[in-house]
Amino acid sequence: MRACAARIAGIGFWTGGLSGWPAARAFAAGGALADDAPRRPSPRLLPPNERRRAPESVAVALEVALAACEAAGRDPKSLPSVFASGHGDFAITDYMCGTLASEPRAISPTRFHNSVHNAAAGYWTIGTGCMMTATAISAGRATFAEGLLEALVQLDDGAGAVLLVAYDTTAVGPLATMTGSRGLLGGALVLASADDRADAGPWLHATLVDATAPAATGPLASLRHDNAMAPMLPLFDALAARDRLVLLDAGPGRALRVEIDHA
């Protein structure tokens, strides 16, 4: 595979104790978690009632997506998007399976429509009024790398800029015995092509290679290693520390080699 390139025009980040990319960068540089950080995001994109009812997966996805767009100075309506989540919303999936097994007529319509894997993408496009393409991707531990690759391919195919959003939640019930995941984690990137007007931010050059991604050891990866979306954290650690190379898990025996030019 030939290298795909993009400029990072904006970054969004959220996890427990780090409610934003500036806080995440400060933590990666040796800072501490915020004692008064909110338990979950409260996405401004949704009206108050919807904000309270939205599942955690949707809340964190919308929070980081909007933050990345604001950091990039982009109108969310103008961006095609890629939403990457290994498992969607564990709690709702557990509720759906349990209710269908015990009392199927009691299924909540609200939880039912939130159970689909692309629920966050749907909330995003409705909340922003965006009519651009929205893609939802799930690929286990390779989800973030595959989502990044999809966004880069869209740029290579002519898109001026693409929003990438990645997130996962805490696993509950029987699902937790199959896939361990704790805490709430979300990250977003607005990626711009070489022809786009973006004039700031690091460049990424990514190539799919035959390799195995090493165990992550950075501050953010160590903090949230137990979330299903932890494979995205080596890239965010590299961006925070201005490192120049990272390998992302892209599946068995495959890695996405990402070279970063911070100049």
Side-chain angles (χ1 to χ4, degrees), residues 49-78:
N49 286 341
E50 289 294 324
R51 197 178 306 157
R52 288 191 296 270
R53 290 197 294 259
E56 288 191 337
S57 56
V58 169
V60 73
L62 269 56
E63 178 76 11
V64 298
L66 187 58
C69 289
E70 290 178 341
R74 302 299 177 109
D75 182 353
K77 292 181 181 180
S78 69

PDB file of all heavy atoms in Angstrom, residues 49-78:
ATOM      1  N   ASN A  49     -32.998  17.868  27.052  1.00  0.00           N
ATOM      2  CA  ASN A  49     -33.649  16.575  27.266  1.00  0.00           C
ATOM      3  C   ASN A  49     -32.909  15.449  26.570  1.00  0.00           C
ATOM      4  O   ASN A  49     -32.681  14.371  27.140  1.00  0.00           O
ATOM      5  CB  ASN A  49     -35.108  16.622  26.792  1.00  0.00           C
ATOM      6  CG  ASN A  49     -35.993  17.398  27.742  1.00  0.00           C
ATOM      7  OD1 ASN A  49     -35.640  17.613  28.898  1.00  0.00           O
ATOM      8  ND2 ASN A  49     -37.152  17.833  27.255  1.00  0.00           N
ATOM      9  N   GLU A  50     -32.517  15.660  25.315  1.00  0.00           N
ATOM     10  CA  GLU A  50     -31.771  14.652  24.572  1.00  0.00           C
ATOM     11  C   GLU A  50     -30.398  14.424  25.193  1.00  0.00           C
ATOM     12  O   GLU A  50     -29.881  13.309  25.207  1.00  0.00           O
ATOM     13  CB  GLU A  50     -31.624  15.079  23.109  1.00  0.00           C
ATOM     14  CG  GLU A  50     -32.911  15.023  22.315  1.00  0.00           C
ATOM     15  CD  GLU A  50     -33.421  13.595  22.159  1.00  0.00           C
ATOM     16  OE1 GLU A  50     -32.596  12.681  22.013  1.00  0.00           O
ATOM     17  OE2 GLU A  50     -34.648  13.407  22.207  1.00  0.00           O
ATOM     18  N   ARG A  51     -29.822  15.493  25.716  1.00  0.00           N
ATOM     19  CA  ARG A  51     -28.496  15.399  26.340  1.00  0.00           C
ATOM     20  C   ARG A  51     -28.534  14.454  27.531  1.00  0.00           C
ATOM     21  O   ARG A  51     -27.625  13.653  27.746  1.00  0.00           O
ATOM     22  CB  ARG A  51     -28.059  16.791  26.771  1.00  0.00           C
ATOM     23  CG  ARG A  51     -26.577  16.954  27.056  1.00  0.00           C
ATOM     24  CD  ARG A  51     -26.288  18.392  27.427  1.00  0.00           C
ATOM     25  NE  ARG A  51     -26.772  19.324  26.407  1.00  0.00           N
ATOM     26  CZ  ARG A  51     -27.054  20.593  26.642  1.00  0.00           C
ATOM     27  NH1 ARG A  51     -26.915  21.096  27.865  1.00  0.00           N
ATOM     28  NH2 ARG A  51     -27.483  21.373  25.669  1.00  0.00           N
ATOM     29  N   ARG A  52     -29.619  14.543  28.317  1.00  0.00           N
ATOM     30  CA  ARG A  52     -29.735  13.678  29.498  1.00  0.00           C
ATOM     31  C   ARG A  52     -30.010  12.235  29.107  1.00  0.00           C
ATOM     32  O   ARG A  52     -29.548  11.307  29.770  1.00  0.00           O
ATOM     33  CB  ARG A  52     -30.861  14.189  30.408  1.00  0.00           C
ATOM     34  CG  ARG A  52     -30.534  15.473  31.150  1.00  0.00           C
ATOM     35  CD  ARG A  52     -31.577  15.765  32.217  1.00  0.00           C
ATOM     36  NE  ARG A  52     -32.889  16.008  31.633  1.00  0.00           N
ATOM     37  CZ  ARG A  52     -33.329  17.204  31.274  1.00  0.00           C
ATOM     38  NH1 ARG A  52     -32.548  18.264  31.432  1.00  0.00           N
ATOM     39  NH2 ARG A  52     -34.534  17.369  30.760  1.00  0.00           N
ATOM     40  N   ARG A  53     -30.770  12.034  28.026  1.00  0.00           N
ATOM     41  CA  ARG A  53     -31.166  10.670  27.644  1.00  0.00           C
ATOM     42  C   ARG A  53     -30.130   9.964  26.774  1.00  0.00           C
ATOM     43  O   ARG A  53     -30.165   8.744  26.657  1.00  0.00           O
ATOM     44  CB  ARG A  53     -32.503  10.704  26.893  1.00  0.00           C
ATOM     45  CG  ARG A  53     -33.696  11.057  27.758  1.00  0.00           C
ATOM     46  CD  ARG A  53     -34.986  10.676  27.061  1.00  0.00           C
ATOM     47  NE  ARG A  53     -35.188  11.483  25.851  1.00  0.00           N
ATOM     48  CZ  ARG A  53     -35.997  12.528  25.790  1.00  0.00           C
ATOM     49  NH1 ARG A  53     -36.662  12.912  26.865  1.00  0.00           N
ATOM     50  NH2 ARG A  53     -36.151  13.202  24.664  1.00  0.00           N
ATOM     51  N   ALA A  54     -29.238  10.702  26.163  1.00  0.00           N
ATOM     52  CA  ALA A  54     -28.281  10.093  25.237  1.00  0.00           C
ATOM     53  C   ALA A  54     -27.382   9.095  25.971  1.00  0.00           C
ATOM     54  O   ALA A  54     -26.910   9.370  27.075  1.00  0.00           O
ATOM     55  CB  ALA A  54     -27.423  11.172  24.585  1.00  0.00           C
ATOM     56  N   PRO A  55     -27.147   7.938  25.393  1.00  0.00           N
ATOM     57  CA  PRO A  55     -26.238   6.973  26.024  1.00  0.00           C
ATOM     58  C   PRO A  55     -24.814   7.508  26.058  1.00  0.00           C
ATOM     59  O   PRO A  55     -24.455   8.437  25.317  1.00  0.00           O
ATOM     60  CB  PRO A  55     -26.344   5.744  25.114  1.00  0.00           C
ATOM     61  CG  PRO A  55     -26.833   6.256  23.809  1.00  0.00           C
ATOM     62  CD  PRO A  55     -27.697   7.433  24.122  1.00  0.00           C
ATOM     63  N   GLU A  56     -23.985   6.932  26.915  1.00  0.00           N
ATOM     64  CA  GLU A  56     -22.619   7.424  27.085  1.00  0.00           C
ATOM     65  C   GLU A  56     -21.822   7.385  25.780  1.00  0.00           C
ATOM     66  O   GLU A  56     -21.002   8.260  25.512  1.00  0.00           O
ATOM     67  CB  GLU A  56     -21.897   6.621  28.165  1.00  0.00           C
ATOM     68  CG  GLU A  56     -22.380   6.916  29.577  1.00  0.00           C
ATOM     69  CD  GLU A  56     -21.482   6.312  30.636  1.00  0.00           C
ATOM     70  OE1 GLU A  56     -20.765   5.341  30.314  1.00  0.00           O
ATOM     71  OE2 GLU A  56     -21.501   6.811  31.778  1.00  0.00           O
ATOM     72  N   SER A  57     -22.067   6.364  24.968  1.00  0.00           N
ATOM     73  CA  SER A  57     -21.337   6.258  23.703  1.00  0.00           C
ATOM     74  C   SER A  57     -21.622   7.462  22.810  1.00  0.00           C
ATOM     75  O   SER A  57     -20.709   8.030  22.193  1.00  0.00           O
ATOM     76  CB  SER A  57     -21.709   4.955  22.981  1.00  0.00           C
ATOM     77  OG  SER A  57     -23.114   4.888  22.782  1.00  0.00           O
ATOM     78  N   VAL A  58     -22.876   7.853  22.732  1.00  0.00           N
ATOM     79  CA  VAL A  58     -23.250   9.010  21.919  1.00  0.00           C
ATOM     80  C   VAL A  58     -22.700  10.289  22.541  1.00  0.00           C
ATOM     81  O   VAL A  58     -22.173  11.167  21.835  1.00  0.00           O
ATOM     82  CB  VAL A  58     -24.785   9.092  21.780  1.00  0.00           C
ATOM     83  CG1 VAL A  58     -25.212  10.423  21.180  1.00  0.00           C
ATOM     84  CG2 VAL A  58     -25.306   7.934  20.939  1.00  0.00           C
ATOM     85  N   ALA A  59     -22.789  10.403  23.860  1.00  0.00           N
ATOM     86  CA  ALA A  59     -22.326  11.616  24.541  1.00  0.00           C
ATOM     87  C   ALA A  59     -20.843  11.858  24.295  1.00  0.00           C
ATOM     88  O   ALA A  59     -20.429  12.980  23.968  1.00  0.00           O
ATOM     89  CB  ALA A  59     -22.609  11.515  26.042  1.00  0.00           C
ATOM     90  N   VAL A  60     -20.014  10.822  24.437  1.00  0.00           N
ATOM     91  CA  VAL A  60     -18.572  11.027  24.275  1.00  0.00           C
ATOM     92  C   VAL A  60     -18.219  11.243  22.808  1.00  0.00           C
ATOM     93  O   VAL A  60     -17.343  12.054  22.480  1.00  0.00           O
ATOM     94  CB  VAL A  60     -17.774   9.850  24.885  1.00  0.00           C
ATOM     95  CG1 VAL A  60     -17.874   8.593  24.038  1.00  0.00           C
ATOM     96  CG2 VAL A  60     -16.320  10.252  25.097  1.00  0.00           C
ATOM     97  N   ALA A  61     -18.906  10.558  21.895  1.00  0.00           N
ATOM     98  CA  ALA A  61     -18.627  10.738  20.471  1.00  0.00           C
ATOM     99  C   ALA A  61     -18.941  12.163  20.028  1.00  0.00           C
ATOM    100  O   ALA A  61     -18.139  12.808  19.325  1.00  0.00           O
ATOM    101  CB  ALA A  61     -19.428   9.730  19.645  1.00  0.00           C
ATOM    102  N   LEU A  62     -20.096  12.685  20.432  1.00  0.00           N
ATOM    103  CA  LEU A  62     -20.471  14.040  20.041  1.00  0.00           C
ATOM    104  C   LEU A  62     -19.576  15.084  20.688  1.00  0.00           C
ATOM    105  O   LEU A  62     -19.252  16.109  20.071  1.00  0.00           O
ATOM    106  CB  LEU A  62     -21.934  14.308  20.385  1.00  0.00           C
ATOM    107  CG  LEU A  62     -22.957  13.992  19.282  1.00  0.00           C
ATOM    108  CD1 LEU A  62     -22.866  12.554  18.808  1.00  0.00           C
ATOM    109  CD2 LEU A  62     -24.359  14.311  19.740  1.00  0.00           C
ATOM    110  N   GLU A  63     -19.165  14.836  21.923  1.00  0.00           N
ATOM    111  CA  GLU A  63     -18.294  15.777  22.627  1.00  0.00           C
ATOM    112  C   GLU A  63     -16.971  15.955  21.889  1.00  0.00           C
ATOM    113  O   GLU A  63     -16.535  17.081  21.620  1.00  0.00           O
ATOM    114  CB  GLU A  63     -18.030  15.277  24.051  1.00  0.00           C
ATOM    115  CG  GLU A  63     -17.107  16.140  24.874  1.00  0.00           C
ATOM    116  CD  GLU A  63     -17.762  17.409  25.401  1.00  0.00           C
ATOM    117  OE1 GLU A  63     -19.004  17.515  25.304  1.00  0.00           O
ATOM    118  OE2 GLU A  63     -17.035  18.280  25.911  1.00  0.00           O
ATOM    119  N   VAL A  64     -16.312  14.835  21.567  1.00  0.00           N
ATOM    120  CA  VAL A  64     -14.989  14.948  20.933  1.00  0.00           C
ATOM    121  C   VAL A  64     -15.110  15.406  19.480  1.00  0.00           C
ATOM    122  O   VAL A  64     -14.233  16.113  18.967  1.00  0.00           O
ATOM    123  CB  VAL A  64     -14.200  13.627  21.038  1.00  0.00           C
ATOM    124  CG1 VAL A  64     -13.946  13.292  22.503  1.00  0.00           C
ATOM    125  CG2 VAL A  64     -14.898  12.465  20.332  1.00  0.00           C
ATOM    126  N   ALA A  65     -16.194  15.009  18.802  1.00  0.00           N
ATOM    127  CA  ALA A  65     -16.381  15.424  17.411  1.00  0.00           C
ATOM    128  C   ALA A  65     -16.520  16.941  17.308  1.00  0.00           C
ATOM    129  O   ALA A  65     -15.879  17.585  16.464  1.00  0.00           O
ATOM    130  CB  ALA A  65     -17.606  14.733  16.812  1.00  0.00           C
ATOM    131  N   LEU A  66     -17.354  17.518  18.173  1.00  0.00           N
ATOM    132  CA  LEU A  66     -17.550  18.960  18.140  1.00  0.00           C
ATOM    133  C   LEU A  66     -16.272  19.691  18.546  1.00  0.00           C
ATOM    134  O   LEU A  66     -15.917  20.727  17.952  1.00  0.00           O
ATOM    135  CB  LEU A  66     -18.701  19.357  19.056  1.00  0.00           C
ATOM    136  CG  LEU A  66     -19.140  20.818  18.993  1.00  0.00           C
ATOM    137  CD1 LEU A  66     -19.557  21.206  17.580  1.00  0.00           C
ATOM    138  CD2 LEU A  66     -20.279  21.082  19.974  1.00  0.00           C
ATOM    139  N   ALA A  67     -15.556  19.153  19.530  1.00  0.00           N
ATOM    140  CA  ALA A  67     -14.303  19.783  19.964  1.00  0.00           C
ATOM    141  C   ALA A  67     -13.282  19.810  18.837  1.00  0.00           C
ATOM    142  O   ALA A  67     -12.579  20.802  18.641  1.00  0.00           O
ATOM    143  CB  ALA A  67     -13.739  19.043  21.175  1.00  0.00           C
ATOM    144  N   ALA A  68     -13.186  18.720  18.080  1.00  0.00           N
ATOM    145  CA  ALA A  68     -12.236  18.665  16.970  1.00  0.00           C
ATOM    146  C   ALA A  68     -12.612  19.663  15.883  1.00  0.00           C
ATOM    147  O   ALA A  68     -11.736  20.341  15.319  1.00  0.00           O
ATOM    148  CB  ALA A  68     -12.170  17.249  16.402  1.00  0.00           C
ATOM    149  N   CYS A  69     -13.904  19.772  15.581  1.00  0.00           N
ATOM    150  CA  CYS A  69     -14.355  20.730  14.569  1.00  0.00           C
ATOM    151  C   CYS A  69     -14.078  22.162  15.007  1.00  0.00           C
ATOM    152  O   CYS A  69     -13.625  22.993  14.203  1.00  0.00           O
ATOM    153  CB  CYS A  69     -15.843  20.543  14.296  1.00  0.00           C
ATOM    154  SG  CYS A  69     -16.255  19.019  13.410  1.00  0.00           S
ATOM    155  N   GLU A  70     -14.322  22.465  16.275  1.00  0.00           N
ATOM    156  CA  GLU A  70     -14.064  23.814  16.782  1.00  0.00           C
ATOM    157  C   GLU A  70     -12.578  24.123  16.764  1.00  0.00           C
ATOM    158  O   GLU A  70     -12.171  25.240  16.412  1.00  0.00           O
ATOM    159  CB  GLU A  70     -14.642  23.951  18.184  1.00  0.00           C
ATOM    160  CG  GLU A  70     -16.170  23.961  18.216  1.00  0.00           C
ATOM    161  CD  GLU A  70     -16.739  24.051  19.614  1.00  0.00           C
ATOM    162  OE1 GLU A  70     -16.014  23.744  20.584  1.00  0.00           O
ATOM    163  OE2 GLU A  70     -17.918  24.422  19.749  1.00  0.00           O
ATOM    164  N   ALA A  71     -11.737  23.139  17.137  1.00  0.00           N
ATOM    165  CA  ALA A  71     -10.295  23.364  17.123  1.00  0.00           C
ATOM    166  C   ALA A  71      -9.786  23.616  15.709  1.00  0.00           C
ATOM    167  O   ALA A  71      -8.829  24.372  15.511  1.00  0.00           O
ATOM    168  CB  ALA A  71      -9.578  22.161  17.734  1.00  0.00           C
ATOM    169  N   ALA A  72     -10.452  22.990  14.745  1.00  0.00           N
ATOM    170  CA  ALA A  72     -10.055  23.157  13.346  1.00  0.00           C
ATOM    171  C   ALA A  72     -10.692  24.376  12.700  1.00  0.00           C
ATOM    172  O   ALA A  72     -10.327  24.740  11.579  1.00  0.00           O
ATOM    173  CB  ALA A  72     -10.432  21.902  12.553  1.00  0.00           C
ATOM    174  N   GLY A  73     -11.659  24.991  13.385  1.00  0.00           N
ATOM    175  CA  GLY A  73     -12.383  26.116  12.806  1.00  0.00           C
ATOM    176  C   GLY A  73     -13.251  25.682  11.642  1.00  0.00           C
ATOM    177  O   GLY A  73     -13.412  26.442  10.667  1.00  0.00           O
ATOM    178  N   ARG A  74     -13.833  24.480  11.728  1.00  0.00           N
ATOM    179  CA  ARG A  74     -14.626  23.935  10.629  1.00  0.00           C
ATOM    180  C   ARG A  74     -16.108  23.870  10.994  1.00  0.00           C
ATOM    181  O   ARG A  74     -16.471  23.591  12.139  1.00  0.00           O
ATOM    182  CB  ARG A  74     -14.160  22.520  10.278  1.00  0.00           C
ATOM    183  CG  ARG A  74     -12.698  22.418   9.878  1.00  0.00           C
ATOM    184  CD  ARG A  74     -12.406  23.252   8.650  1.00  0.00           C
ATOM    185  NE  ARG A  74     -11.005  23.217   8.296  1.00  0.00           N
ATOM    186  CZ  ARG A  74     -10.516  22.587   7.231  1.00  0.00           C
ATOM    187  NH1 ARG A  74     -11.319  21.939   6.421  1.00  0.00           N
ATOM    188  NH2 ARG A  74      -9.220  22.621   6.978  1.00  0.00           N
ATOM    189  N   ASP A  75     -16.941  24.097  10.009  1.00  0.00           N
ATOM    190  CA  ASP A  75     -18.373  23.914  10.154  1.00  0.00           C
ATOM    191  C   ASP A  75     -18.669  22.418  10.056  1.00  0.00           C
ATOM    192  O   ASP A  75     -18.370  21.799   9.027  1.00  0.00           O
ATOM    193  CB  ASP A  75     -19.111  24.673   9.048  1.00  0.00           C
ATOM    194  CG  ASP A  75     -20.627  24.563   9.159  1.00  0.00           C
ATOM    195  OD1 ASP A  75     -21.111  23.795  10.010  1.00  0.00           O
ATOM    196  OD2 ASP A  75     -21.310  25.234   8.374  1.00  0.00           O
ATOM    197  N   PRO A  76     -19.231  21.803  11.112  1.00  0.00           N
ATOM    198  CA  PRO A  76     -19.515  20.369  11.063  1.00  0.00           C
ATOM    199  C   PRO A  76     -20.364  19.958   9.860  1.00  0.00           C
ATOM    200  O   PRO A  76     -20.256  18.819   9.387  1.00  0.00           O
ATOM    201  CB  PRO A  76     -20.264  20.112  12.375  1.00  0.00           C
ATOM    202  CG  PRO A  76     -19.787  21.183  13.285  1.00  0.00           C
ATOM    203  CD  PRO A  76     -19.579  22.394  12.414  1.00  0.00           C
ATOM    204  N   LYS A  77     -21.196  20.865   9.370  1.00  0.00           N
ATOM    205  CA  LYS A  77     -22.040  20.540   8.215  1.00  0.00           C
ATOM    206  C   LYS A  77     -21.216  20.227   6.972  1.00  0.00           C
ATOM    207  O   LYS A  77     -21.702  19.560   6.048  1.00  0.00           O
ATOM    208  CB  LYS A  77     -22.982  21.706   7.898  1.00  0.00           C
ATOM    209  CG  LYS A  77     -24.050  21.981   8.932  1.00  0.00           C
ATOM    210  CD  LYS A  77     -24.926  23.145   8.469  1.00  0.00           C
ATOM    211  CE  LYS A  77     -25.995  23.477   9.487  1.00  0.00           C
ATOM    212  NZ  LYS A  77     -26.837  24.610   9.045  1.00  0.00           N
ATOM    213  N   SER A  78     -19.994  20.734   6.927  1.00  0.00           N
ATOM    214  CA  SER A  78     -19.195  20.628   5.708  1.00  0.00           C
ATOM    215  C   SER A  78     -18.363  19.363   5.624  1.00  0.00           C
ATOM    216  O   SER A  78     -17.724  19.110   4.602  1.00  0.00           O
ATOM    217  CB  SER A  78     -18.257  21.843   5.605  1.00  0.00           C
ATOM    218  OG  SER A  78     -17.241  21.776   6.610  1.00  0.00           O
TER     219      SER A  78
END
